[in-house]
């Protein structure tokens, strides 16, 4: 039971970390501000976080796969193709993925929240996801 609670906490921490990272991404901010995805743009931005979290749990993620996925998601959901690619945001997302996986692999569930809070601003609120600016 304790292990299940710790795993749930680590998933919540990863979710918060992904939201915080994506909330700093200028491209996504502009997409949301200008509603490139139509009236459901904010919902699509939130769905990106959920899709990444699910993907992290199901697959071995590589930097290349992550960049390809982000490129595809932007084009499919926001009709946006970036000339410079998504490496600006994929680097911190990969760092989050690696930190989380190491903590889970080491069965160090109690410290995953601490590790993620130290490396990522998990308390950040941003208009992208319906919070404050």
């Amino acid at each position: 039971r304790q292990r299940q609670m710790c795993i749930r906490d680590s998933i919540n921490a990863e979710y918060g970390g992904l939201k915080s990272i994506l909330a700093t991404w200028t491209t996504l901010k502009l997409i949301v501000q200008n509603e490139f995805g139509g009236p459901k743009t904010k919902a699509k931005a939130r769905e990106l976080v959920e899709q990444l979290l699910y993907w992290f749990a199901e697959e071995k993620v590589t930097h290349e796969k992550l960049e390809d996925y982000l490129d595809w998601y932007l084009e499919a959901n926001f009709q946006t193709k970036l000339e410079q690619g998504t490496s600006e945001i994929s680097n911190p997302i990969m760092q989050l993925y690696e930190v989380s996986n190491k903590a889970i692999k080491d069965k160090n569930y109690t410290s995953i929240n601490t590790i993620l809070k130290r490396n990522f601003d998990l308390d950040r609120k941003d208009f992208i996801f319906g919070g404050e600016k």
Side-chain angles (χ1 to χ4, degrees):
R1 180 161 159 82
Q2 169 116 12
R3 183 174 183 267
Q4 287 175 332
M5 285 177 50
C6 292
I7 291 172
R8 187 176 63 238
D9 287 347
S10 72
I11 290 169
N12 288 336
E14 281 183 337
Y15 181 78
L18 281 170
K19 274 180 54 178
S20 294
I21 291 167
L22 289 172
T24 66
W25 192 17
T26 304
T27 299
L28 191 57
K29 287 180 184 181
L30 292 171
I31 285 170
V32 171
Q33 282 176 337
N34 294 296
E35 293 190 335
F36 287 5
K40 295 186 179 186
T41 300
K42 277 188 184 180
K44 291 177 181 180
R46 282 190 300 271
E47 185 178 302
L48 175 58
V49 177
E50 294 164 9
Q51 292 295 322
L52 286 171
L53 189 62
Y54 176 78
W55 191 43
F56 283 0
E58 297 297 316
E59 282 191 42
K60 172 73 175 125
V61 178
T62 65
H63 205 150
E64 185 177 331
K65 281 185 185 179
L66 176 60
E67 286 188 3
D68 288 346
Y69 180 78
L70 290 170
D71 288 336
W72 170 83
Y73 196 91
L74 291 178
E75 195 165 351
N77 290 282
F78 305 117
Q79 295 73 48
T80 302
K81 186 161 180 72
L82 301 178
E83 285 184 27
Q84 76 277 16
T86 56
S87 62
E88 164 197 355
I89 201 67
S90 61
N91 290 332
I93 292 173
M94 280 306 295
Q95 182 186 8
L96 172 69
Y97 174 73
E98 289 163 1
V99 166
S100 298
N101 275 352
K102 180 171 180 2
I104 291 169
K105 182 182 172 196
D106 295 345
K107 295 184 171 132
N108 193 0
Y109 303 111
T110 55
S111 71
I112 190 166
N113 228 354
T114 306
I115 292 166
L116 293 175
K117 279 185 178 183
R118 185 177 44 218
N119 290 292
F120 303 99
D121 181 5
L122 301 184
D123 299 319
R124 178 183 172 86
K125 292 187 176 162
D126 202 287
F127 72 97
I128 290 177
F129 302 107
E132 302 165 3
K133 280 190 181 182

